[in-house]
Amino acid sequence: MTSAAPSAPGPAIPPARTRARAGSDPAVVPPASGAHRVPPASPHASAAHGHVPDTQPVPANAAPPATVPSASTASTSASSEAPVTPEALHALARSLRKRIETVVVGKRRAVETAIATLLAGGHLLIEDVPGVGKTTLATAIARCLDLSSTRIQFTSDLLPADVTGVSIYDQSSRAFRFHPGPVFASVVIADEINRATPRTQSALLEAMGEGRVSVEGRPMALPDPFMVVATQNPLDMEGTYSLPEAQRDRFMARISMGYPEPGAETAMHTARSGVDPLAALEPLASVEDVRRARSAVARLPMAEPVAGYIVALVGATRADEAIALGASPRAGLQLAALARARAAMRGSSFVTPDDVARAAHGALTHRLIPAGRFPSSAAAHGAAGEALARIVARTPVPAA
């Protein structure tokens, strides 16, 4: 984690239509008559017990305002919908990686998995001991994107309403008024998520699975794009609560930072000079860039033999004697999405079995429960990773 290098030019993605930022216009409930607006807040503000964005929620099923496109708008709309090429996706991924690596040094594999998860439309879980750069990586992802972002510091006394929002009685209007929580942002950094109780952890389940939250019986849509980047300490650390299997399954990928190499750690001491490297990061992708990149990744072709290879890998985890609980069908779908993103990152126009094999560890290991008893969560995760590596090695690879 060294000081930031000078900003590189952005990736060559075709220009997109000008649209409202997703994080600044979440789907929300209209304020009662006479109610004043919530004061604006910084998009990068931290929230120990919730953060109030600068907009009011409106119902998820509310009709959008009618607009009449002008002739000039119609002429530019066609060009803005031009497909994102594999070369443009490769350039975007490379620019993001280089920008993030100015603050997260020597962790190429973790950074690439994080970018692939972003492009695949998933959520990322970063697990490791304190002080190795988990929050730095999560914050760097948010800073490199021109998206609204919030950070929630999870604690044992955090309540679900601190995450989703709360209705407060307004004396002036004599009505309850909803104040949206920090989950109404495009990038939500859930710091030390396993220090909160299971009740509060579950507040993110619907948000991560369906892109919306239900508050007081009303569904409220979240911004598009929406991504949760959660960090957690190993379960054998004091004051932690294990994430339930259903919650872990919502994360597309899980990565571990690990300790830096001696050279990278030495660079931290010599290059920072008291300057926060995160402060120099500037966004290089807009809301529309991320949307169009995700759409292009989702449309990347996958041949039937490659899809069969994914099914074979997932099925083998359910039959292996070393694994008590194997991967679910959802795990297979998310492995396919992550493999598509990895193919796009290298500039390919199709998915290969090698893309699947490279994505398997990040997409499947945290979903597997190994057979037997282990002294710590790290040991259990290591056993699951070893079993998965054996499965990948012995599963026949389809011919090209």
Side-chain angles (χ1 to χ4, degrees):
M1 289 166 274
T2 61
S3 60
S7 300
I13 286 191
R17 276 193 309 254
T18 301
R19 300 172 68 170
R21 289 178 58 186
S24 63
D25 190 19
V28 290
V29 177
S33 175
H36 57 79
R37 289 179 57 83
V38 178
S42 170
H44 295 290
S46 299
H49 294 284
H51 164 71
V52 181
D54 59 352
T55 55
Q56 289 297 313
V58 290
N61 58 358
T67 57
V68 179
S70 62
S72 59
T73 302
S75 63
T76 59
S77 176
S79 61
S80 67
E81 295 300 332
V84 180
T85 64
E87 293 78 13
L89 288 172
H90 174 66
L92 172 63
R94 182 179 56 193
S95 298
L96 281 172
R97 175 179 59 78
K98 289 183 176 180
R99 188 70 58 88
I100 294 173
E101 284 184 336
T102 61
V103 296
V104 182
V105 181
K107 299 298 176 185
R108 174 69 59 87
R109 182 175 180 179
V111 171
E112 288 183 343
T113 301
I115 296 173
T117 305
L118 165 71
L119 295 177
H123 308 287
L124 179 66
L125 177 64
I126 310 174
E127 181 180 8
D128 217 317
V129 297
V132 294
K134 302 186 303 294
T135 305
T136 299
L137 174 58
T139 306
I141 295 172
R143 293 282 181 90
C144 288
L145 303 172
D146 191 20
L147 307 175
S148 63
S149 66
T150 54
R151 175 180 171 184
I152 313 171
Q153 181 65 51
F154 280 75
T155 58
S156 58
D157 60 344
L158 197 73
L159 299 176
D162 297 326
V163 176
T164 59
V166 63
S167 292
I168 299 177
Y169 186 74
D170 188 350
Q171 290 280 6
S172 62
S173 63
R174 295 186 180 184
F176 282 94
R177 186 159 166 263
F178 178 70
H179 291 252
V183 76
F184 286 92
S186 288
V187 180
V188 178
I189 302 173
D191 206 11
E192 296 186 303
I193 188 174
N194 63 334
R195 291 202 179 277
T197 61
R199 178 187 178 192
T200 303
Q201 293 172 3
S202 66
L204 288 175
L205 273 176
E206 184 182 16
M208 296 171 64
E210 302 179 22
R212 67 179 187 181
V213 293
S214 295
V215 180
E216 300 173 355
R218 295 173 297 188
M220 299 182 184
L222 296 172
D224 177 28
F226 176 72
M227 181 183 187
V228 173
V229 182
T231 72
Q232 72 169 0
N233 297 314
L235 299 182
D236 42 311
M237 301 287 290
E238 183 178 357
T240 58
Y241 299 84
S242 173
L243 285 177
E245 288 78 8
Q247 184 83 5
R248 290 204 307 269
D249 202 44
R250 292 299 196 279
F251 288 99
M252 176 174 286
R254 179 263 188 201
I255 59 176
S256 178
M257 300 295 292
Y259 291 109
E261 296 294 331
E265 194 165 5
T266 301
M268 297 180 196
H269 300 286
T270 59
R272 286 204 171 191
S273 303
V275 179
D276 182 8
L278 288 170
L281 289 181
E282 295 183 358
L284 51 78
S286 67
V287 172
E288 194 65 22
D289 289 337
V290 176
R291 286 193 187 124
R292 296 172 65 235
R294 283 184 167 186
S295 177
V297 168
R299 294 195 303 267
L300 211 63
M302 177 180 292
E304 186 172 344
V306 178
Y309 181 53
I310 293 176
V311 173
L313 288 176
V314 172
T317 65
R318 304 167 189 162
D320 195 282
E321 295 180 352
I323 300 176
L325 179 64
S328 66
R330 179 193 289 148
L333 291 173
Q334 299 212 344
L335 173 57
L338 198 61
R340 283 188 170 94
R342 282 196 167 273
M345 288 174 62
R346 61 182 179 82
S348 175
S349 58
F350 57 91
V351 184
T352 67
D354 187 59
D355 295 320
V356 175
R358 289 179 180 274
H361 180 81
L364 298 182
T365 306
H366 65 289
R367 308 172 193 270
L368 306 179
I369 298 181
R373 301 178 66 88
F374 299 90
S376 67
S377 62
H381 186 81
E386 292 174 0
L388 179 62
R390 292 194 298 269
I391 289 173
V392 173
R394 70 169 182 254
T395 302
V397 178

